[in-house]
Amino acid sequence: QSVLTQPPSVSGAPGQRVTISCTGSSSNIGAGYDVHWYQQLPGTAPKLLIYGNSNRPSGVPDRFSGSKSGTSASLAITGLQAEDEADYYCQSYDSSLSGFWVFGGGTKLTVL
Amino acid sequence: EVQLVQSGAEVKKPGESLKISCKGSGYSFTSYWIGWVRQMPGKGLEWMGIIYPGDSDTRYSPSFQGQVTISADKSISTAYLQWSSLKASDTAMYYCVRRGSYWDFDYWGQGTLVTVSS
């Protein structure tokens, strides 16, 4: 299993708000390392969506936001659109023997 | 414009060797770490390792240490991922990534699909 834990799937209707959680531990998120989020549309390479817990790269709509608290982080998507249907991954750095950069298992977002 | 362009899809037999590439452009190649990420069919992302082309300092995930070799040729702005003896379980999409200032992966290559089958 992944070092960071995400729900396998979430869903929401167009226009709604959904959140995706990412739970880590004291050796990664809880140790103060930043959390980043990636969006992978079907059949494409992942793309950076949120970096440094809550920052959006140029071109990412402000419907996407990130937050971090303690050993967890969250990605929120407001005003859900059909094109948001994708897999979402959280990522952080881990100081234990499990490796350096670690990912969550991914969450499939379905827009109903 | 920052770009990471990877080599094309490969079909190999078990036991064969392979080296795939990732060419960076639009930035100072020697100033940013380049990593590799595996995605097995229908599965999530796994960090494999990372190299600093400036001095070839390389780190591996414990899961991939000894299984692959990461290298770089800064004269042609290209990073490599290689196997000496492929297994069927190496079948996956492999992405190269650039490590950003926040230790995120800010740019991704388009991916190289490696299929290992007898």
Side-chain angles (χ1 to χ4, degrees):
Chain A
Q1 60 273 26
S2 304
V3 174
L4 304 179
T5 301
Q6 298 180 233
S9 63
V10 298
S11 63
Q16 283 190 332
R17 178 182 187 269
V18 297
T19 61
I20 298 173
S21 61
C22 175
T23 302
S25 67
S26 58
S27 63
N28 42 69
I29 299 175
Y33 295 112
D34 285 337
V35 177
H36 320 293
W37 292 89
Y38 302 87
Q39 178 192 57
Q40 185 175 32
L41 296 168
T44 69
K47 177 189 90 168
L48 181 64
L49 193 66
I50 297 287
Y51 67 94
N53 306 314
S54 58
N55 302 290
R56 284 185 308 275
S58 173
V60 173
D62 59 6
R63 302 186 296 105
F64 296 89
S65 63
S67 63
K68 172 190 158 183
S69 178
T71 58
S72 295
S74 289
L75 172 70
I77 310 172
T78 58
L80 207 55
Q81 299 180 4
E83 57 261 37
D84 297 333
E85 188 159 293
D87 293 322
Y88 293 84
Y89 295 89
C90 63
Q91 179 243 312
S92 186
Y93 183 88
D94 191 290
S95 57
S96 75
L97 290 176
S98 59
F100 301 110
W101 283 267
V102 289
F103 287 98
T107 298
K108 170 67 177 177
L109 168 63
T110 300
V111 180
L112 301 171
Chain B
E1 177 196 8
V2 173
Q3 283 192 308
L4 297 175
V5 178
Q6 298 184 227
S7 49
E10 301 274 2
V11 179
K12 292 288 191 178
K13 290 181 167 40
E16 292 186 331
S17 63
L18 176 64
K19 191 174 190 178
I20 62 175
S21 67
C22 169
K23 183 173 177 60
S25 62
Y27 72 100
S28 174
F29 185 74
T30 54
S31 300
Y32 289 82
W33 292 78
I34 291 284
W36 289 93
V37 174
R38 182 176 80 173
Q39 186 169 38
M40 298 179 77
K43 302 298 184 183
L45 306 174
E46 301 172 89
W47 176 73
M48 302 175 70
I50 198 165
I51 187 167
Y52 188 72
D55 61 7
S56 293
D57 185 8
T58 308
R59 319 284 172 83
Y60 293 93
S61 163
S63 299
F64 292 93
Q65 179 83 48
Q67 309 303 308
V68 297
T69 301
I70 293 171
S71 60
D73 184 340
K74 60 186 179 183
S75 69
I76 55 172
S77 300
T78 300
Y80 301 96
L81 176 65
Q82 69 180 84
W83 296 259
S84 58
S85 180
L86 286 160
K87 303 184 281 287
S89 57
D90 293 317
T91 294
M93 183 71 82
Y94 294 87
Y95 296 101
C96 65
V97 294
R98 192 184 81 162
R99 198 209 83 176
S101 303
Y102 284 74
W103 288 36
D104 54 326
F105 296 139
D106 59 356
Y107 288 92
W108 293 64
Q110 83 276 19
T112 296
L113 180 62
V114 174
T115 303
V116 184
S117 174
S118 53

